[in-house]
Amino acid sequence: MACPTLSHADTPEIVLDSTVVTGSRSASSSFDLPYSVDSVSREQINDGQLRINASEVLSRVPGLVVQNRQNYAQDLQISSRGFGARSAFGVRGLKLIADGIPASTPDGQGQAATFNLDTADRIEVLRGPAATQYGSNAGGVIQMFSRDGEGAPRIGAETLVGSDGLSKNHLTAEGAADGVGFVLDASRMDTDGYRDHSAARRDQTFAKVNFKPDDDSKMALIYSSLEQNGTQDPLGQTWAAYKADPRSVTAGALTYNTRKSIDHQQLGMNYERYFGDATLQVNAYTGTRSVLQYLSIPQKTPANIRGGGVVDFDRKFYGGSVHWLQPISKAPGDLTIIAGLDYDRSQDDRTGYQNYTATELGVKGALARDEVDTATSLDPFVQTNWALGDWTFQAGVRHSTMKMDVSDHYLSNGDASGSKDYQQNSPSVSAMYAFTEKLHGYISAGKGFETPTQAEMAYAPGATEGFNFGLKPSTSKQYEIGLKAKVLNDTRINLAVFQITTDDELVVAGSNNGRTSYQNAGRTLRRGLELGIDSQLGEQWSTQIAYTHLVAQYDSDFTSGATLIDKGNNLPGVPKDTLFGELDWKPRDWISTALEGMYRSKVYVEDTNDQKPAPAYAVFNWRARFEQKVEHWTFHQTLRLDNLLDRQYVGSVIVGDSNNRYYEAAPGRSWYAGAGVQYQFE
């Protein structure tokens, strides 16, 4: 792509033993870690991909379900072992991190769109009990690392065009000079959207400077921004509307001109210093995020109902962490103790307005909400990593806290001010045994919890005004057993079996006048299997398979509104079976081509399981990349065809939508073509 990548001649085609830091908090072989953790490489992120949505590459990770909603106003839907499947917008239940900067607020709401894939070096995905060591709402961890500026300075440009009016233009400059590395990146993406009323423009910028202040330390300064103005929101479709015309939108989207504008900027610093064998890691960040969103809440909504059809907030967020890694030289084996403290704070100056005036719909009307919402977390933790002979142990405990404070300035319908504190100790322990050098088995257990987000607490059930401070966090007990094997030096196999029991699961209590309220249900039970296979079939061929089987059900009866939800019902938004497969062929150093396949079983859309589930589907994609080098110049071309068989299917669902608009259609056959050039200085 336009960003420089290592040539195929210089790197192995498939990495069977990647190095990761997520989970162990220091560089370790993923094969030697006693839990499920995967790394998506720079080559996988770049080769033949558009680098617009994380869904392009995360589908190759077992345990993840990534749904591209074809709606840039609402971001991706990502779930890990069922955590996060219920999110109506953005990502919740998972911890998103980019270069040490959380892309999730302290209450657990995250935005994957802030990941700049043009600058990504790798993406690490941690699942299971070990993820609980990253705090509340960490049903899994997705952590992106940008690359450092290295090598001779170079500049590049790329353009990409495709179906439904897609275009992306991208400029980059990077390298190192006098011991200082730099990465500069800017891109603009435009699309008319597959569905009606789904056009979007996204501008992203990124700047990174990395250097060594002295021989015992290193530092990186990172700036990034995301801007989307007037992104159209097509909303969901009813089943009848989807079948009649997959590109269609509900009348409300047009009547109220549903749309969203985002202005997100952040600045971060990563510092690492070595004190003999010990390491100090310090991270600090700050940023702002402004959102203006026009919803389709009907005009008939009573004027005294707090909320309104226009969401308008300005967010300030900041935080940091301090970690100390101390090897214990006098202990047998290789023992490291890690102690740390993570602090995060997010403050929203939030207002809401009616989405109409006396003469016009879809505009900012009378004030309907005015408050300051502050979420704060302060989490100390301690963790031990111990390699002792054929055994590897990891244990840790984190004291997670999250405080939500609301200062209501609206007051015309009463004072909704208040606060709520959540806290819990989250322990986890894992052990691995090396049966042979190429066969490792492990077992892992942990306890986690998931706090309600500000959006889930915003409204009390029924007609009661005020925040729902009575919501409790859901708590989970997680168990995992697995095998990691290397076969004949050219195949890596990961197999994990897991069980998760959750109490006080957060579910929809009801929807009234466009406001969705939540409640705690009873128990849920998730049992599943994950299988990952990476294989180098020869000098030119490689393959990757990722399979997930997950049975996620309610384990007790509960009442949602006036509806009884039976024990044994399936959790909505969670497919039972997901399969990704890829066959990659690189006949020459300058060409790479691959066939991708994806299968997903049916997905229930609400708790009763009575409404039409999104049907199962299978799709196939083809991609190719070509590269030529002439002295200081490198040229490349990309071709991509998605949904080769032109299948019509539901790509994502909106769980529990009160208007029965659960379904979001995926595009039919789509084409993309791109070309770029890079010049390297002496």
Side-chain angles (χ1 to χ4, degrees), residues 133-269:
Q133 294 305 299
Y134 284 79
S136 65
N137 297 285
V141 180
I142 301 175
Q143 186 162 196
M144 193 203 81
F145 298 86
S146 65
R147 61 184 178 272
D148 288 339
E150 298 175 332
R154 49 206 181 272
I155 57 175
E158 179 188 33
T159 188
L160 175 78
V161 296
S163 296
D164 301 313
L166 177 76
S167 67
K168 180 184 175 186
N169 295 298
H170 174 217
L171 298 173
T172 186
E174 67 178 278
D178 298 324
V180 178
F182 65 92
V183 178
L184 304 174
D185 193 274
S187 66
R188 166 168 288 182
M189 184 278 296
D190 287 283
T191 180
D192 296 332
Y194 169 69
R195 294 177 58 199
D196 299 336
H197 195 72
S198 62
R201 166 172 286 183
R202 174 190 288 175
D203 291 317
Q204 286 185 284
T205 60
F206 179 91
K208 180 177 182 179
V209 177
N210 55 276
F211 57 96
K212 292 185 175 183
D214 54 50
D215 292 340
D216 295 321
S217 63
K218 59 183 180 180
M219 177 178 285
L221 302 175
I222 305 158
Y223 168 82
S224 65
S225 71
L226 167 71
E227 184 175 350
Q228 293 181 201
N229 290 318
T231 302
Q232 295 177 333
D233 187 349
L235 307 178
Q237 297 168 296
T238 64
W239 181 253
Y242 160 74
K243 292 297 289 182
D245 181 4
R247 292 182 181 263
S248 66
V249 297
T250 179
L254 303 177
T255 301
Y256 290 93
N257 188 18
T258 49
R259 61 199 186 276
K260 185 177 185 180
S261 295
I262 303 170
D263 185 1
H264 180 103
Q265 301 183 53
Q266 63 187 39
L267 177 66
M269 179 274 291

Side-chain angles (χ1 to χ4, degrees), residues 98 115 216 225 248 252 280 338 372 460 509 525 549 640 662 679:
F115 285 179
D216 295 321
S225 71
S248 66
L280 172 67
I338 305 166
V372 176
L525 176 64
H549 176 75
R640 185 175 181 91
Y662 307 112
Y679 179 82

Side-chain angles (χ1 to χ4, degrees), residues 516-569:
T516 301
S517 59
Y518 292 80
Q519 68 179 43
N520 293 106
R523 298 183 303 275
T524 62
L525 176 64
R526 300 177 175 97
R527 290 174 172 166
L529 175 148
E530 296 171 1
L531 175 65
I533 303 175
D534 292 353
S535 185
Q536 187 72 42
L537 302 179
E539 185 177 346
Q540 300 176 352
W541 295 87
S542 63
T543 186
Q544 183 174 11
I545 296 173
Y547 171 68
T548 305
H549 176 75
L550 173 58
V551 177
Q553 297 177 324
Y554 290 109
D555 202 34
S556 64
D557 298 338
F558 70 96
T559 301
S560 176
T563 303
L564 176 66
I565 308 301
D566 294 324
K567 175 182 178 180
N569 279 14

Side-chain angles (χ1 to χ4, degrees), residues 83-374:
F83 287 101
R86 185 178 295 279
S87 180
F89 60 92
V91 179
R92 64 100 64 247
L94 307 177
K95 188 77 168 184
L96 305 181
I97 308 171
D99 287 319
I101 302 173
S104 303
T105 53
D107 62 337
Q109 195 73 51
Q111 304 293 329
T114 59
F115 285 179
N116 190 326
L117 299 180
D118 287 324
T119 65
D121 180 66
R122 68 189 189 279
I123 301 175
E124 296 178 4
V125 182
L126 172 65
R127 307 173 303 287
T132 64
Q133 294 305 299
Y134 284 79
S136 65
N137 297 285
V141 180
I142 301 175
Q143 186 162 196
M144 193 203 81
F145 298 86
S146 65
R147 61 184 178 272
D148 288 339
E150 298 175 332
R154 49 206 181 272
I155 57 175
E158 179 188 33
T159 188
L160 175 78
V161 296
S163 296
D164 301 313
L166 177 76
S167 67
K168 180 184 175 186
N169 295 298
H170 174 217
L171 298 173
T172 186
E174 67 178 278
D178 298 324
V180 178
F182 65 92
V183 178
L184 304 174
D185 193 274
S187 66
R188 166 168 288 182
M189 184 278 296
D190 287 283
T191 180
D192 296 332
Y194 169 69
R195 294 177 58 199
D196 299 336
H197 195 72
S198 62
R201 166 172 286 183
R202 174 190 288 175
D203 291 317
Q204 286 185 284
T205 60
F206 179 91
K208 180 177 182 179
V209 177
N210 55 276
F211 57 96
K212 292 185 175 183
D214 54 50
D215 292 340
D216 295 321
S217 63
K218 59 183 180 180
M219 177 178 285
L221 302 175
I222 305 158
Y223 168 82
S224 65
S225 71
L226 167 71
E227 184 175 350
Q228 293 181 201
N229 290 318
T231 302
Q232 295 177 333
D233 187 349
L235 307 178
Q237 297 168 296
T238 64
W239 181 253
Y242 160 74
K243 292 297 289 182
D245 181 4
R247 292 182 181 263
S248 66
V249 297
T250 179
L254 303 177
T255 301
Y256 290 93
N257 188 18
T258 49
R259 61 199 186 276
K260 185 177 185 180
S261 295
I262 303 170
D263 185 1
H264 180 103
Q265 301 183 53
Q266 63 187 39
L267 177 66
M269 179 274 291
N270 293 321
Y271 177 73
E272 189 168 275
R273 185 171 184 84
Y274 310 106
F275 295 88
D277 293 335
T279 304
L280 172 67
Q281 298 173 342
V282 179
N283 161 269
Y285 68 90
T286 186
T288 60
R289 182 180 181 89
S290 298
V291 171
L292 178 62
Q293 183 173 16
Y294 290 79
L295 308 174
S296 62
I297 295 176
Q299 187 178 3
K300 64 182 179 180
T301 303
N304 65 336
I305 294 295
R306 180 177 60 90
V310 180
V311 177
D312 188 356
F313 71 81
D314 294 309
R315 173 178 299 160
K316 297 179 181 178
F317 58 92
Y318 57 90
S321 63
V322 178
H323 299 167
W324 182 267
L325 289 71
Q326 180 65 62
I328 308 299
S329 58
K330 294 184 179 181
D334 185 3
L335 174 64
T336 300
I337 297 178
I338 305 166
L341 181 68
D342 297 338
Y343 173 78
D344 302 292
R345 182 179 176 90
S346 173
Q347 185 175 80
D348 293 1
D349 187 354
R350 184 178 293 267
T351 53
Y353 300 87
Q354 301 293 348
N355 55 348
Y356 58 86
T357 63
T359 59
E360 194 173 0
L361 302 179
V363 296
K364 187 182 288 188
L367 182 70
R369 185 177 185 178
D370 185 4
E371 66 201 38
V372 176
D373 303 329
T374 306

